[in-house]
């Protein structure tokens, strides 16, 4: 399973240099306990943010949000194929590819950087980050001891497949890296025979049991996957925040020193950068910062509190050796005590079902199932990984939020009244001159060399007048076999049907009745790639495209067209002329129509727009379109495809954080388009799309129905791509859709919420005090913080007492302090952040002593 998992797993990188931005001044070394930077030991929290998966305008805020989340280090791959896409003599380091600018922003934030140089990166990135042209440099074999190819990542599981060449190659890679004398240590991840000159590291959902090969190396976790990537046609995987926190706490409990979230901000696979096949344009990854750049609450906040708790322990953890003791059959403590009297304890309950009361140093502690409590003084719990909204003794208050995608109709340019769509029809088959004619089939990737997704395979056949099906009005059946990835079949310019493989099985068969006429018939088959293979052994040899074409239902049975002459055309005319770019858009005659054609295949649409109102991040809603590519002002938004997953997949209503996580443990969205967001239909008259950020809480939104209108496939369009006016939106639709239904949506944090509870009813306090409990009833405050540049403008709900419900749907319980709203307003109104103490000065002293009292707040920022 482990092997399978890793081959599915995200980025497998084998190799990366720890290049701290303090490089110039810094001296980075290590010993068995930790990295040592300028003589100081550190426990490091690292966050993967890939520069080409967002835009420069987002970078400062992403990095700031990571820093606020308690992150010390930003980690990124270097993506070779965006820097040299077409040939070795061409370089691109501008816009999203400006690595130097990205690194400087990290430096300015006072953070460290881990650079994973690749060039092979996997990373769910097209062709694993290697430019496709390298495959066609004579004599190149990837991932082995080959003169043209000496770069690697996450190689351990594949090395054996390459025999002796693999072994030599791994040794060479380490030797090459170390000989660069960069002054910082080198790491190989998932490398089981790493030489002593480099540090081997762990990539997994859990790495607490990981041990480096050599005892002088620190324990480093290069990829902790806080969610998972998605493939078109699959349901949506979720990893609960409690389990992510559990894995991190366990890692530091067991002597870990550097932990990196892969991803902390996943972002977007813009254009055709998605790997595959079939990886979605969204690379959200359910990461602590969402695709649009907003903190994902409560995940981001829950991990921030965890990082704070770990930092409280850092000094003692780095200065002492742990002593482990059993607290029960599945409960254990690790205690770190230093010479100066400092003491840190981690109490873990690995039982995946039952909570447990444990006794530690004569005090009882309640440990929820599958959780770790952190005690920076060996007495008081400052954090428990399973307690999200509720507080432990000292209180962990994680703010939650409601994020809505507010629909915003496409706005025509100020001058004109109605939005005007113009269209350009792409021909089915060869446009202008054919590229070549060949008997039989060529490999798709060998032919396009990935300069485009599209390759036309065309031929013609003559149908005799005496064919029975002509008389009966019946239909012969077209049978196609393809290595992948997708296909639209046209006969005489009419779309007959489509087919595609899936993420686990790219090859597919097409079988569809077709309309043929007597005489000559033009057969035009549009073969498509949907992201090239990005990982595995010998992955560069995986092909795509047609292998067999037959038609059955003739008088003489089946005709095999496979050995016919086929005429080939690479790409689309609109692509070739660059009609999606401002400087190419006028190279064809666009037809202006009052009503654009709907459900018409092979159609280019364009419109000139004003940007959506406000300054929130923007999504493009493509629910009513079929499949294709979208651009704004020449920037590639990416592939869109509202492809649905099977209703027969195993989806869950509730996501149980307890127990070992696997990507298929907690699926939602069965039977819905993979790339989509949820709609909430209860609230106001004007239906708004609301998405609760943490899917774990979805169950609590009783009104959140997976109804048809909820399936809104949204594609991120960075704000910075918009001009104040005159924006060119271009869509290429392959199989047919309704462009009049395309809308933008603004991603808005509509409410922020917090809920905190006391640990036990007031009435129990005395009894507990008499029993000598050191647990004092919770006095942790409620903390609210508005998104950047906004202030708390209204308190929608506040109740001290026994409120029920969740963010967006709180209601007062039987016990309610009527002053709650005014207390919160007084503390918070017009502030960007505020704190409300749960003190008896603020709230009714004697209120419902027999209940565990809570304070719930929902507020609006603007
Ligand atoms: C770097 O630090 C290590 C360990 O702290 C020390 O042994 C070494 O001399 C230092 N090197 C430089 C160039 O300062
Ligand atoms: C590629 O290399 C082989 C073996 O060295 C040689 O025979 C062949 O001609 C080369 N092909 C090209 C296109 O350079
Ligand atoms: C302590 O850790 C060691 C090494 O992992 C393990 O073998 C042992 O069982 C642990 N002891 C307890 C009491 O958990
Ligand atoms: C726990 O209680 C026992 C018995 O009362 C006592 O001997 C021991 O010192 C206590 N341990 C700690 C850590 O307080
Ligand atoms: C992918 O396609 C294969 C072959 O058609 C099929 O057996 C498999 O169930 C499909 N998997 C998914 C997740 O749809
Ligand atoms: C692509 O072309 C190369 C060189 O002609 C050939 O070796 C390889 O098998 C082809 N790939 C596929 C998938 O057909
Ligand atoms: C059917 O096949 C026979 C024998 O191969 C051939 O003589 C005949 O012309 C074919 N008929 C048609 C309609 O293609
Ligand atoms: C197939 O194409 C080749 C090369 O263009 C040509 O010589 C041949 O005549 C064609 N065959 C048929 C049956 O059209
Ligand atoms: C908040 O700001 C508004 C508008 O600036 C002002 O009218 C209101 O009095 C302020 N409220 C408080 C509590 O400061």
């Amino acid at each position: 399973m482990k092997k399978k998992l890793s081959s599915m797993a995200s980025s497998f990188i084998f190799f990366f240099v720890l290049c701290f931005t303090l490089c110039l001044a810094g001296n980075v070394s290590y010993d068995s306990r930790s990295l040592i930077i300028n003589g100081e030991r550190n426990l490091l929290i690292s966050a993967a943010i890939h520069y080409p998966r967002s835009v420069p305008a987002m970078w400062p805020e992403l990095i700031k949000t990571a820093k606020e989340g308690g992150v010390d280090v930003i980690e990124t791959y270097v993506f070779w194929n965006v820097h040299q896409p077409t040939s070795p003599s061409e370089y691109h380091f501008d816009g999203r590819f400006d690595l130097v600018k990205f690194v400087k922003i990290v430096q300015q934030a006072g953070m460290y950087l881990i650079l994973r140089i690749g060039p092979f990166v996997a990373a769910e990135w097209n062709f694993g980050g290697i430019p496709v042209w390298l495959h066609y440099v004579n004599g190149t074999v990837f991932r082995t001891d080959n003169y043209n190819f000496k770069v690697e990542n996450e190689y351990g599981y594949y090395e054996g497949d390459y025999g002796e060449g693999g072994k030599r190659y791994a040794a060479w890679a380490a030797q090459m890296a170390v000989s660069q004398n960069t002054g910082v240590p080198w790491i190989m991840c998932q490398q089981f025979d790493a030489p002593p000159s480099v540090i081997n590291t762990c990539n997994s959902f859990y790495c607490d049991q990981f041990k480096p090969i050599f005892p002088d190396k620190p324990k480093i976790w290069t990829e902790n996957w806080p969610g998972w990537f998605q493939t078109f046609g699959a349901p949506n995987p979720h990893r609960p925040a409690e389990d992510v926190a559990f894995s991190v706490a366990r890692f530091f409990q067991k002597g870990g020193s550097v932990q990196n979230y892969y991803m902390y901000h996943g972002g977007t696979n813009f254009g055709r950068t998605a790997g595959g096949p079939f990886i979605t344009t969204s690379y959200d990854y359910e990461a602590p910062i969402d695709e649009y750049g907003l903190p994902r609450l409560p995940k981001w906040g829950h991990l921030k509190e965890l990082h704070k708790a770990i930092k409280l322990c850092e000094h003692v953890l780095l200065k002492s050796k742990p002593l482990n003791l059993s607290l029960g059959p599945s409960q254990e403590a690790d205690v770190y005590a230093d010479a100066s009297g400092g003491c840190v304890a981690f109490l873990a309950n690995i039982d995946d079902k039952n909570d447990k009361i444990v006794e530690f140093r004569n005090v009882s502690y309640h440990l929820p199932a599958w959780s770790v409590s952190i005690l920076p003084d060996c007495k008081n719990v400052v954090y428990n990984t399973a307690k999200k909204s509720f507080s432990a003794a000292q209180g962990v208050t994680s703010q939650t939020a409601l994020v809505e995608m507010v629909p915003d109709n496409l706005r025509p340019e100020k001058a004109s009244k109605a939005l005007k769509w113009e269209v350009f029809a792409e021909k089915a088959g060869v446009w202008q001159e054919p590229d070549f004619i060949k008997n039989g089939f060529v490999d798709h990737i060998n032919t396009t060399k990935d300069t485009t997704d599209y390759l036309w395979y065309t031929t013609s056949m003559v149908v005799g007048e005496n064919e029975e099906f002509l008389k009966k009005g019946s239909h012969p059946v077209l049978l196609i076999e393809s290595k992948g990835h997708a296909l639209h079949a046209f006969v005489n310019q009419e779309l007959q049907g489509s087919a595609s493989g899936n993420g686990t099985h790219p090859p597919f068969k097409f079988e569809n009745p077709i309309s043929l006429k007597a005489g000559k018939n033009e057969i035009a088959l549009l073969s498509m790639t949907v992201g090239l293979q990005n990982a595995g052994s010998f992955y560069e040899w995986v092909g795509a495209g047609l292998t067999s074409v037959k038609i059955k239902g003739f008088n003489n049975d089946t005709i095999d067209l496979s050995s016919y002459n086929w005429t080939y055309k690479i790409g689309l005319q609109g692509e070739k002329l660059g009609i999606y770019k401002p400087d190419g858009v006028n190279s064809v005659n666009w037809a202006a129509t009052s009503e654009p054609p709907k459900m018409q295949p092979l159609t280019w649409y364009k419109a000139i727009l004003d940007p959506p109102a406000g300054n929130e991040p923007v999504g493009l809603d493509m629910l009513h379109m079929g499949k294709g590519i979208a651009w704004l002002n020449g920037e590639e938004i990416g592939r869109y495809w509202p492809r649905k997953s099977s209703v027969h997949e195993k989806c869950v209503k509730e996501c149980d954080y307890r127990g070992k996580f696997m990507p298929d443990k907690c699926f939602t969205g069965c039977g819905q388009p993979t790339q989509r967001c949820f709609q909430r239909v209860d609230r106001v008259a004007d239906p708004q799309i609301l998405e609760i950020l943490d899917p774990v809480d979805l169950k609590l939104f009783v009104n959140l129905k997976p109804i048809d209108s909820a399936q809104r496939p949204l594609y991120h369009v960075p704000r910075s791509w918009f001009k104040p006016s005159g924006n060119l939106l271009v869509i290429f639709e392959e199989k047919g859709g309704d462009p009049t239904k395309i809308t933008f949506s603004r991603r808005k944090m509509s409410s922020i919420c917090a809920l905190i509870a006391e640990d036990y009813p007031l009435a129990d306090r005395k009894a507990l005090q008499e029993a000598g409990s050191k647990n004092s009833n919770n006095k942790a405050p409620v903390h609210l913080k508005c998104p950047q540049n906004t202030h708390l403008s209204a308190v929608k709900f506040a109740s001290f007492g026994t409120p029920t419900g969740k963010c967006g749907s709180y209601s007062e319980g039987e016990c309610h302090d009527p002053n709650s709203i005014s207390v919160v307003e007084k503390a918070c109104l017009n502030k960007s952040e505020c704190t409300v103490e749960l003190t008896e000065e603020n709230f009714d002293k004697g209120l419902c002593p027999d209940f565990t009292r809570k304070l719930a707040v929902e507020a609006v920022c603007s």
Side-chain angles (χ1 to χ4, degrees), residues 52-83:
R53 283 178 157 141
S54 55
V55 291
M58 291 169 69
W59 294 343
E61 186 64 20
L62 290 177
I63 288 160
K64 186 169 153 245
T65 307
K67 191 170 183 180
E68 273 176 32
V71 166
D72 312 294
V73 184
I74 301 295
E75 177 265 315
T76 182
Y77 283 127
V78 177
F79 297 85
W80 182 9
N81 60 3
V82 302
H83 298 303

Side-chain angles (χ1 to χ4, degrees), residues 101-302:
K101 181 173 186 171
F102 181 81
V103 172
K104 283 186 172 161
I105 293 170
V106 175
Q107 182 180 38
Q108 280 153 17
M111 298 169 84
Y112 299 120
L113 184 84
I114 295 175
L115 201 62
R116 300 174 77 174
I117 60 169
F120 174 68
V121 298
E124 290 75 61
W125 192 261
N126 196 43
F127 220 45
I130 306 289
V132 172
W133 56 256
L134 185 69
H135 177 48
Y136 297 98
V137 171
N138 199 5
T140 305
V141 185
F142 289 15
R143 312 199 75 179
T144 186
D145 185 15
N146 171 273
Y147 179 78
N148 290 340
F149 191 93
K150 285 201 167 168
V151 288
E152 253 314 326
N153 176 32
E154 281 180 326
Y155 190 53
Y157 290 119
Y158 306 101
E159 185 175 315
D161 298 344
Y162 294 91
E164 279 305 307
K167 271 199 154 47
R168 281 199 307 278
Y169 172 48
W172 167 86
Q175 156 64 29
M176 183 279 295
V178 172
S179 70
Q180 303 303 310
N181 287 320
T182 56
V184 293
W186 287 79
I187 291 175
M188 283 177 158
C189 51
Q190 267 174 214
Q191 185 63 31
F192 315 115
D193 64 352
S197 53
V198 302
I199 306 169
N200 72 303
T201 66
C202 183
N203 292 358
S204 186
F205 289 108
Y206 307 92
C207 283
D208 48 286
Q209 300 301 317
F210 170 78
K211 280 202 169 55
I213 301 166
F214 298 99
D216 65 325
K217 307 293 186 227
K219 181 163 162 174
I220 297 180
W221 189 358
T222 31
E223 291 193 13
N224 182 2
W225 306 307
W228 200 247
F229 60 89
Q230 308 194 38
T231 49
F232 284 120
N236 309 114
H238 303 288
R239 187 178 186 197
E242 295 94 328
D243 180 59
V244 182
F246 174 79
S247 70
V248 176
R250 288 288 288 159
F251 179 69
F252 286 103
Q253 169 170 9
K254 294 294 176 189
S257 67
V258 180
Q259 189 269 154
N260 178 57
Y261 295 102
Y262 185 102
M263 303 293 297
Y264 192 80
H265 169 257
T268 311
N269 293 315
F270 294 112
R272 303 192 306 113
T273 60
F278 301 111
I279 287 163
T280 53
T281 299
S282 169
Y283 197 63
D284 179 84
Y285 222 93
E286 203 178 74
I289 302 178
D290 73 21
E291 176 175 10
Y292 294 81
L294 301 180
R296 168 168 276 114
L297 300 173
K299 195 176 259 182
W300 178 86
H302 190 51

Side-chain angles (χ1 to χ4, degrees), residues 183-501:
V184 293
W186 287 79
I187 291 175
M188 283 177 158
C189 51
Q190 267 174 214
Q191 185 63 31
F192 315 115
D193 64 352
S197 53
V198 302
I199 306 169
N200 72 303
T201 66
C202 183
N203 292 358
S204 186
F205 289 108
Y206 307 92
C207 283
D208 48 286
Q209 300 301 317
F210 170 78
K211 280 202 169 55
I213 301 166
F214 298 99
D216 65 325
K217 307 293 186 227
K219 181 163 162 174
I220 297 180
W221 189 358
T222 31
E223 291 193 13
N224 182 2
W225 306 307
W228 200 247
F229 60 89
Q230 308 194 38
T231 49
F232 284 120
N236 309 114
H238 303 288
R239 187 178 186 197
E242 295 94 328
D243 180 59
V244 182
F246 174 79
S247 70
V248 176
R250 288 288 288 159
F251 179 69
F252 286 103
Q253 169 170 9
K254 294 294 176 189
S257 67
V258 180
Q259 189 269 154
N260 178 57
Y261 295 102
Y262 185 102
M263 303 293 297
Y264 192 80
H265 169 257
T268 311
N269 293 315
F270 294 112
R272 303 192 306 113
T273 60
F278 301 111
I279 287 163
T280 53
T281 299
S282 169
Y283 197 63
D284 179 84
Y285 222 93
E286 203 178 74
I289 302 178
D290 73 21
E291 176 175 10
Y292 294 81
L294 301 180
R296 168 168 276 114
L297 300 173
K299 195 176 259 182
W300 178 86
H302 190 51
L303 296 174
K304 172 184 170 147
E305 299 298 334
L306 168 64
H307 304 152
K308 241 194 247 172
I310 289 167
K311 286 299 157 86
L312 282 175
C313 306
E314 183 178 20
H315 194 72
V316 176
L317 288 177
L318 288 168
K319 284 201 145 177
S320 51
K321 288 244 179 307
L323 180 75
N324 65 338
L325 48 130
S326 170
L327 302 175
S330 306
Q331 293 75 32
E332 63 170 346
D334 282 79
V335 183
Y336 294 76
D338 71 12
S340 60
C343 184
V344 162
F346 290 83
L347 312 185
N349 181 6
I350 329 273
D351 191 315
D352 59 11
K353 289 189 185 62
N354 304 302
D355 292 10
K356 189 90 179 177
I357 307 275
V358 296
E359 187 86 2
F360 172 68
R361 298 198 163 192
N362 293 351
V363 178
S364 309
Y365 295 89
H366 170 245
L367 290 180
W370 200 254
S371 80
V372 179
S373 283
I374 300 178
L375 293 67
D377 56 359
C378 285
K379 286 196 194 87
N380 294 292
V381 176
V382 297
Y383 185 86
N384 176 278
T385 57
K387 294 189 180 176
K388 208 158 50 175
S389 312
F390 293 88
S391 68
Q394 294 292 306
V396 176
T397 57
S398 289
Q399 178 175 311
T400 58
L402 274 181
V403 168
E404 54 185 340
M405 296 299 302
V406 185
D408 195 336
N409 286 336
L410 301 188
R411 287 145 34 110
E413 267 198 304
K414 284 179 188 101
S416 59
K417 286 206 178 94
L419 186 72
K420 202 175 73 182
W421 285 102
E422 294 179 61
V423 300
F424 169 69
E426 185 81 27
K427 190 170 174 243
V430 176
W431 45 273
Q432 294 175 353
E433 292 303 303
D435 285 311
F436 58 93
I437 299 168
K438 194 181 169 297
N439 196 261
F441 300 119
V442 296
D443 179 76
H444 181 124
I445 299 167
N446 269 358
T447 308
T448 61
K449 302 210 164 47
D450 199 40
T451 52
T452 167
D453 279 358
Y454 302 104
L455 177 63
W456 284 107
Y457 291 69
T458 70
T459 193
S460 64
M461 65 174 305
V462 175
V463 172
E465 307 250 334
N466 58 353
E467 288 294 343
E468 282 294 319
F469 68 79
L470 291 173
K471 293 177 200 153
K472 287 198 280 190
S474 61
H475 293 278
V477 174
L478 177 61
L479 303 161
I480 302 172
E481 289 177 26
S482 170
K483 289 180 275 180
H485 304 152
L487 172 96
H488 304 301
F490 296 83
V491 175
N492 301 324
Q493 295 289 315
E494 294 288 326
L495 179 63
Q496 307 293 316
S498 307
S500 52

Side-chain angles (χ1 to χ4, degrees), residues 562-775:
S562 307
S563 55
Y564 276 40
N565 269 359
W566 288 83
T567 303
Y568 290 90
K569 189 68 189 177
I570 297 168
L572 308 171
Q573 184 172 19
E575 282 182 301
K576 173 84 178 186
L577 297 172
I579 66 173
Y580 51 87
K581 292 185 290 196
D583 64 357
V585 68
N586 291 325
S587 52
V588 296
N589 287 321
W590 293 85
T593 53
S594 53
E595 271 287 294
K598 293 170 189 169
M599 300 314 294
Q600 176 174 295
L602 302 179
T603 305
W604 292 84
Y605 294 97
K606 89 169 164 78
I608 306 289
L609 314 162
D610 273 356
N615 56 7
E616 299 91 354
V618 178
L620 186 62
D621 184 348
M622 302 298 275
L623 175 62
H624 297 278
M625 299 300 283
K627 178 178 182 297
I629 305 185
W631 295 262
L632 183 81
N633 294 326
E635 303 277 5
E636 275 192 299
I637 296 166
R639 299 186 185 99
Y640 66 86
W641 193 3
R643 187 184 196 183
K644 291 178 180 175
S645 66
S646 160
V647 288
H648 303 298
E649 291 281 352
K650 267 195 277 167
C651 274
V652 295
K653 284 221 178 70
E654 281 184 42
C655 201
D656 188 349
Y657 71 85
R658 300 171 304 174
K660 276 227 149 100
F661 180 79
M662 288 301 286
D664 61 358
K665 182 180 172 188
C666 180
F667 278 141
T668 62
C670 292
Q672 300 184 41
T674 306
Q675 192 168 335
R676 77 195 199 290
C677 90
F678 291 96
Q679 180 164 27
R680 231 175 82 106
V681 288
D682 63 330
R683 266 291 260 254
V684 277
D686 175 25
Q688 291 181 323
I689 304 165
L690 293 181
E691 185 185 1
I692 178 79
L693 284 172
D694 193 320
V696 175
D697 289 339
L698 276 179
K699 59 178 161 129
L700 298 156
F701 277 73
V702 283
N703 301 319
L704 199 73
K705 295 181 193 128
I707 51 169
D708 183 61
S709 60
Q711 303 166 16
R712 309 189 73 87
L714 295 173
Y715 297 82
H716 181 208
V717 188
R719 261 289 167 185
S720 60
W721 287 357
F722 286 94
K723 300 185 290 183
S725 183
N727 294 282
L728 174 67
L729 179 67
V730 177
I731 313 279
F732 174 66
E733 170 57 47
E734 298 164 9
K735 59 181 193 184
D738 181 356
T740 64
K741 300 246 168 69
I742 295 174
T743 58
F744 285 125
S745 278
R746 289 180 285 137
R747 194 166 180 86
K748 225 176 145 172
M749 201 178 271
S750 62
S751 286
I752 58 172
C753 294
L755 174 67
I756 196 160
E758 292 179 337
D759 292 312
Y760 38 79
L762 283 181
D764 290 353
R765 186 197 296 172
K766 225 171 151 226
L768 279 157
Q769 276 169 351
E770 277 164 11
S773 171
K774 290 220 170 77
N775 294 349

